[in-house]
Amino acid sequence: MEPLLTVKDLSVSFNTTDGTVYAVNNISFDLYPGETLALVGESGCGKSVTTMSLLGLIPKISGNNMSGTAVFNDGVSKKDLLKMSEEGIRKVRGGQIGFVFQDPLNSLNPVMTIGQQIAEPLMEHLKIDKNEAERRTIELLERVHIPDAADRIRIYPHELSGGMRQRVMIAIAISCSPKILIADEPTTALDVTIQAQIVDLIENLSKELNLSVIWITHDLSVVAGLADRVLVMYAGTGIEIAQVDELYDYPSHPYTRGLLGALPNPDMESSKRLISIPGSPPDIYTAPYSCVFASRCKFAFDLCHKELPKLVELGNNHQAACFIAEQLRSEYV
Amino acid sequence: MSNENNKTLIEVQDLKVHFYLKASGFFNRKRQAVKAVDGVTFDVRENETFGLVGESGCGKSTTGRGILQLIRPTAGSVRFENIELTKLGKEAIRCMRPKMQMIFQDSYDSLNPRHPIGRIISDPLVIHGIARRGSAELKERVSELMNMVCLNPGYVNRFPHEFSGGQRQRIGVARALALNPKFIVCDESISALDVSIQAQIVNLLQELQEQFGLSYLFIAHDLNMVRFISNRVAVMYIGKIMEMADRQTLFKSPLHPYTKSLISAAPTPNPKFERNRQRIILSGEVPSATNPPKGCVFNTRCPIAFERCSQEIPEYREVAPQHFVACHAV
């Protein structure tokens, strides 16, 4: 099967008054049709910048540097999202690629009714008239399980709860039948029971519409049940990628192990200690020249401080960027 | 850690904290009450971590503040080592404060940005007259506290913004420890931190508990973390406790439908388990505390609600030793 999206060596850096911030460094991944890929990492690891660059939301001004390719294959033609013109990317963004962000209150326009906001991309991308757009808007609201959809199109975002707002965002995201849905921490700001509702909704929609989903999160628990593959990021670098079962069963990068160890297991006795990772993530004012995790890694040796480890194939399509990844993986077998 | 024979440190009886909204209109003098906490009863034992979970707005933080008398309760009693706190005046409460402290969620808002951290940590000692500002004794105590929470004492003159989130939370812990308290309310103290840093702070809290025999009221919405750190857990919903039991019982054999759905909604880092588990997904959202449902507050979302649930408030009763539930169906 051909991938829908092929990201290769994506790097993004920003020149600031404090120096250059190397936000994303040589990230590569494929996204296949119908697949859910999770990007996991802690704050500041570059997961949001990665997807913003795919959506053309990083302004192309001097000081913002972007390199690499992101080839989107919509079945008709192949195009590089990073090299497209502003006009071109507008046709894709919100059309073939839908997106949902963490904070729906900041993502929705407070002075437009939710009906207007859902109808806007419909009229823009599908070139349909107002009445048809309204009919589809009601359909979409029903699809994301908002009760009394026909009346709700006239209300404003502040009249809705957090969970309902997120449903509106999802309705906008799927309005133009996208091929890819980018969900950037869509449930982080929500309560547990509402989080379960939203996860359930996105999972069902992705099955019904055969969507490929890029799910960004900091929480390895949330994506355990819904991702097909997981890419773990640290300090702007992709450090491990594998099928979901393989990754959770045989984490082969010390950072992934640390992340999993930091989560309490339901059956864990509280007399035990969580495995914490000492220190905090590095600042990213230098381009990585050695392993980005070395300063916090308990396995680190000379080489780790000198050379940048590349992703190595460990079998089973499992790759990790660590000099001793093979050894770490075999310890688990 | 603790066991059932430990002495009771804090006894909360039928605690109520109501807030009154402004009356709307001149003739309508009846003020509407928000029953943020509406009759909760539990106790915290010595050397115990008592977990309080619930969704946002359920009154768990207000309960914590009500216990510390940061908000004076509307009704009910809070006894700390058999002293009735709700009856004490302002000065008397101040004398009790050294024994009960709080660690807040947002370490940025709870540390004064204009004060170096040495000042922040030493303030409680100075205010309670334990040491004079500038004395050698105070300096020594501050570096001791900083060592305790694994902060380099050399950073004593730095300001809060120079630290990372995890380090700032350590400063908050050091300040709470300054007066050798017996009881600390941890109000979502780790929620704002990254996963790897969360584990550091949780480990620190547990080490300090063992070292000093502290009791914690651990308020959080992350069920897995509460399950890990607590000895006993209470589940709150719209100002009321729905269920309380020791952590094994509560998580392994929950009785209240709300507890069941909360547990089934909390994801675990286990792909095989997650794919096959049956989630109880609650419909709708948490009703407002201004206008809570009649009868059982959970009846509007409860999958097993029947007629009686919307008419009669279920009694909070002990169904098995040390296992309390408020539900008609149990």
Side-chain angles (χ1 to χ4, degrees):
Chain A
M1 200 163 31
E2 253 197 86
L4 200 57
L5 178 70
T6 310
V7 177
K8 225 173 145 39
D9 294 327
L10 172 69
S11 295
V12 185
S13 64
F14 306 101
N15 300 345
T16 69
T17 46
D18 294 335
T20 304
V21 174
Y22 294 87
V24 175
N25 306 300
N26 292 315
I27 293 276
S28 301
F29 61 85
D30 295 327
L31 182 70
Y32 292 92
E35 171 187 58
T36 298
L37 173 74
L39 293 191
V40 181
E42 296 180 282
S43 35
C45 75
K47 46 196 198 302
S48 294
V49 173
T50 303
T51 52
M52 279 172 73
S53 56
L54 298 181
L55 290 168
L57 291 174
I58 310 257
K60 291 195 172 87
I61 51 171
S62 75
N64 294 357
N65 319 304
M66 224 189 310
S67 64
T69 57
V71 178
F72 176 51
N73 179 358
D74 63 2
V76 188
S77 61
K78 289 184 179 179
K79 44 202 165 191
D80 186 346
L81 296 172
L82 303 181
K83 309 240 161 30
M84 281 171 96
S85 65
E86 186 59 30
E87 267 311 296
I89 196 89
R90 278 188 72 160
K91 294 211 173 79
V92 177
R93 187 202 308 149
Q96 288 164 308
I97 304 182
F99 49 88
V100 179
F101 292 132
Q102 172 173 355
D103 188 346
L105 194 57
N106 285 341
S107 316
L108 292 169
N109 187 336
V111 295
M112 271 169 88
T113 65
I114 60 166
Q116 287 170 324
Q117 296 189 55
I118 299 173
E120 196 179 28
L122 286 171
M123 284 153 60
E124 172 77 27
H125 288 286
L126 307 179
K127 312 282 179 233
I128 54 178
D129 68 26
K130 231 176 159 183
N131 292 333
E132 172 69 7
E134 183 171 311
R135 196 183 58 75
R136 292 234 203 152
T137 300
I138 295 171
E139 236 175 64
L140 281 163
L141 285 176
E142 280 165 355
R143 187 136 211 191
V144 295
H145 307 296
I146 291 187
D148 312 320
D151 300 328
R152 291 286 177 94
I153 58 170
R154 269 170 263 289
I155 67 173
Y156 291 88
H158 75 268
E159 297 174 72
L160 290 169
S161 67
M164 284 293 167
R165 279 181 214 137
Q166 203 54 290
R167 287 173 192 271
V168 172
M169 280 300 293
I170 294 168
I172 296 173
I174 61 165
S175 60
C176 304
S177 324
K179 293 206 157 61
I180 300 177
L181 175 70
I182 294 178
D184 190 349
E185 304 260 15
T187 61
T188 308
L190 305 173
D191 272 320
V192 202
T193 58
I194 310 297
Q195 174 175 314
Q197 292 173 359
I198 298 293
V199 166
D200 197 52
L201 176 67
I202 296 183
E203 240 186 329
N204 288 337
L205 286 173
S206 72
K207 270 186 209 128
E208 283 165 32
L209 307 170
N210 194 29
L211 279 174
S212 299
V213 181
I214 300 180
W215 191 296
I216 299 175
T217 181
H218 66 279
D219 188 343
L220 277 166
S221 316
V222 172
V223 287
L226 57 90
D228 297 303
R229 284 189 307 144
V230 180
L231 168 64
V232 182
M233 289 182 69
Y234 184 77
T237 318
I239 54 129
E240 187 164 7
I241 183 165
Q243 300 284 337
V244 64
D245 288 304
E246 167 80 17
L247 188 94
Y248 286 69
D249 287 345
Y250 306 110
S252 304
H253 193 287
Y255 178 64
T256 314
R257 280 194 182 186
L259 273 187
L260 284 167
L263 294 171
N265 197 304
D267 297 315
M268 208 161 147
E269 276 306 314
S270 54
S271 53
K272 277 202 182 152
R273 288 276 182 269
L274 296 173
I275 304 161
S276 67
I277 308 173
S280 42
D283 65 45
I284 42 182
Y285 288 113
T286 43
Y289 57 92
S290 63
C291 175
V292 283
F293 188 59
S295 62
R296 299 174 77 188
C297 181
K298 64 175 176 186
F299 301 107
F301 55 103
D302 296 353
L303 186 61
C304 306
H305 296 283
K306 282 185 201 140
E307 219 175 280
L308 185 66
K310 292 211 163 55
L311 283 169
V312 287
E313 176 65 46
L314 304 168
N316 262 346
N317 285 323
H318 184 173
Q319 299 173 349
C322 176
F323 294 119
I324 57 163
E326 273 164 338
Q327 187 192 329
L328 289 177
R329 189 184 184 292
S330 61
E331 274 173 25
Y332 267 78
V333 181
Chain B
M1 264 187 271
S2 85
N3 57 57
E4 281 177 31
N5 306 324
N6 279 10
K7 273 206 311 207
T8 302
L9 183 71
I10 291 184
E11 232 185 310
V12 181
Q13 270 287 341
D14 207 22
L15 181 74
K16 287 182 184 169
V17 183
H18 295 179
F19 298 106
Y20 292 94
L21 301 178
K22 264 207 180 124
S24 55
F26 185 74
F27 294 107
N28 183 10
R29 286 298 174 89
K30 209 180 153 213
R31 291 189 304 168
Q32 213 180 1
V34 180
K35 297 177 177 174
V37 180
D38 199 25
V40 303
T41 302
F42 62 91
D43 57 330
V44 182
R45 298 174 188 143
E46 280 181 1
N47 202 15
E48 177 187 56
T49 302
F50 188 90
L52 199 53
V53 286
E55 297 176 273
S56 39
C58 74
K60 51 194 195 298
S61 292
T62 309
T63 304
R65 284 163 195 250
I67 293 173
L68 296 183
Q69 309 298 309
L70 291 171
I71 301 170
R72 297 314 286 263
T74 312
S77 99
V78 179
R79 298 176 78 84
F80 182 92
E81 292 181 318
N82 276 325
I83 300 168
E84 177 60 58
L85 298 181
T86 53
K87 300 254 159 45
L88 295 182
K90 248 187 173 166
E91 257 324 292
I93 287 289
R94 247 166 85 96
C95 298
M96 294 295 292
R97 280 271 144 75
K99 292 185 180 172
M100 18 181 232
Q101 291 289 318
M102 186 152 178
I103 303 167
F104 299 89
Q105 167 170 8
D106 190 331
S107 57
Y108 210 78
D109 284 346
S110 57
L111 302 176
N112 189 333
R114 291 162 189 268
H115 285 175
I117 65 156
R119 166 94 195 259
I120 291 172
I121 298 172
S122 62
D123 261 351
L125 295 158
V126 175
I127 288 166
H128 286 278
I130 289 163
R132 254 181 341 103
R133 197 176 299 291
S135 65
E137 187 193 357
L138 186 67
K139 278 188 187 133
E140 197 183 315
R141 176 70 178 147
V142 169
S143 21
E144 188 190 359
L145 285 163
M146 288 179 72
N147 275 326
M148 250 181 234
V149 297
C150 308
L151 279 173
N152 182 346
Y155 295 165
V156 65
N157 290 322
R158 294 198 183 179
F159 289 85
H161 74 267
E162 297 176 74
F163 294 90
S164 68
Q167 286 173 319
R168 277 202 300 269
Q169 204 53 280
R170 289 173 191 273
I171 299 166
V173 175
R175 174 176 61 183
L177 286 175
L179 294 164
N180 289 320
K182 290 195 127 171
F183 174 64
I184 299 180
V185 174
C186 307
D187 188 0
E188 300 270 15
S189 305
I190 55 164
S191 313
L193 303 173
D194 267 323
V195 190
S196 69
I197 311 295
Q198 273 190 2
Q200 290 176 7
I201 300 293
V202 165
N203 286 345
L204 174 70
L205 289 174
Q206 289 193 318
E207 275 155 30
L208 294 169
Q209 180 169 50
E210 277 163 28
Q211 206 177 337
F212 301 108
L214 296 168
S215 300
Y216 295 129
L217 179 68
F218 192 82
I219 300 170
H221 62 272
D222 179 347
L223 276 130
N224 291 328
M225 202 52 99
V226 168
R227 175 176 194 169
F228 171 69
I229 200 175
S230 311
N231 301 104
R232 287 184 304 146
V233 181
V235 178
M236 276 185 84
Y237 188 77
I238 322 188
K240 287 184 156 57
I241 292 183
M242 299 284 108
E243 183 164 7
M244 176 174 81
D246 67 84
R247 71 177 190 117
Q248 288 299 353
T249 317
L250 192 97
F251 284 94
K252 287 252 162 77
S253 37
L255 292 174
H256 197 287
Y258 181 60
T259 317
K260 286 182 189 170
S261 63
L262 264 191
I263 293 170
S264 92
T268 57
N270 185 339
K272 289 182 200 78
F273 176 71
E274 284 298 318
R275 272 195 299 267
N276 299 322
R277 90 196 271 181
Q278 279 300 319
R279 283 230 166 86
I280 308 168
I281 294 183
L282 293 178
S283 57
E285 313 197 351
V286 185
S288 137
T290 340
N291 189 15
K294 278 212 179 70
C296 172
V297 282
F298 185 55
N299 84 72
T300 52
R301 298 174 81 197
C302 183
I304 57 165
F306 50 99
E307 219 187 308
R308 193 174 160 206
C309 302
S310 55
Q311 289 155 1
E312 208 180 302
I313 298 173
E315 191 197 344
Y316 179 64
R317 62 189 204 284
E318 191 166 11
V319 291
Q322 291 303 312
H323 191 167
F324 293 81
V325 184
C327 179
H328 289 307
V330 175

